[in-house]
Amino acid sequence: MPSRPELTDERRRLAREKAAEARLVRAELLGALRNGDVTVAQVLARADAGDPVVRQTRVLRLARSLPGFGDVAARELLARLRIDERRRIGGLGRRQRDALLAATSDAPGR
């Protein structure tokens, strides 16, 4: 197995800044979803547009951010839809996306 390349201090600093920016963008997006300012369909559209932060967000984090959903309800939703909790938004198949949209769009505030 090849060894990892050594990072310079500068490259390490840039990686930390990039990660911090991604966390901030993800937190803002999930907060907007929690507040009802954004819908699941809009989040999926951002993933389709190629937003890497959205594409790399786990579906479980998305489900937990839905209004009225906590950890247990989010896990039950994903189990019912047969979506693995470790799946990322960008890795959802067409049927999984459609099922997620159908399950989250019928309730008020979602």
Side-chain angles (χ1 to χ4, degrees):
M1 180 181 255
S3 63
R4 283 192 271 174
E6 288 295 319
L7 294 178
T8 64
D9 289 341
E10 178 66 15
R11 290 183 82 180
R12 192 173 286 113
R13 183 186 62 77
L14 290 173
R16 278 194 307 265
E17 288 174 3
K18 183 177 178 183
E21 178 65 25
R23 285 191 299 271
L24 180 64
V25 169
R26 186 175 294 116
E28 289 173 352
L29 175 69
L30 296 178
L33 182 65
R34 188 175 297 110
N35 294 332
D37 299 333
V38 175
T39 65
V40 173
Q42 291 170 321
V43 173
L44 294 178
R46 277 184 65 172
D48 289 342
D51 186 330
V53 173
V54 177
R55 292 183 57 80
Q56 293 173 3
T57 301
R58 295 201 187 268
V59 179
L60 180 59
R61 293 212 40 208
L62 174 87
R64 282 182 186 150
S65 298
L66 292 168
F69 275 74
D71 188 54
V72 173
R75 289 176 191 273
E76 287 174 354
L77 172 69
L78 295 183
R80 185 169 33 102
L81 299 178
R82 295 184 177 169
I83 299 175
D84 191 293
E85 294 176 1
R86 296 168 298 190
R87 176 78 59 172
R88 295 181 188 274
I89 293 172
L92 290 176
R94 174 56 47 198
R95 289 183 183 161
Q96 291 173 323
R97 291 169 58 96
D98 292 344
L100 183 61
L101 281 171
T104 57
S105 63
D106 60 357
R110 295 189 190 124

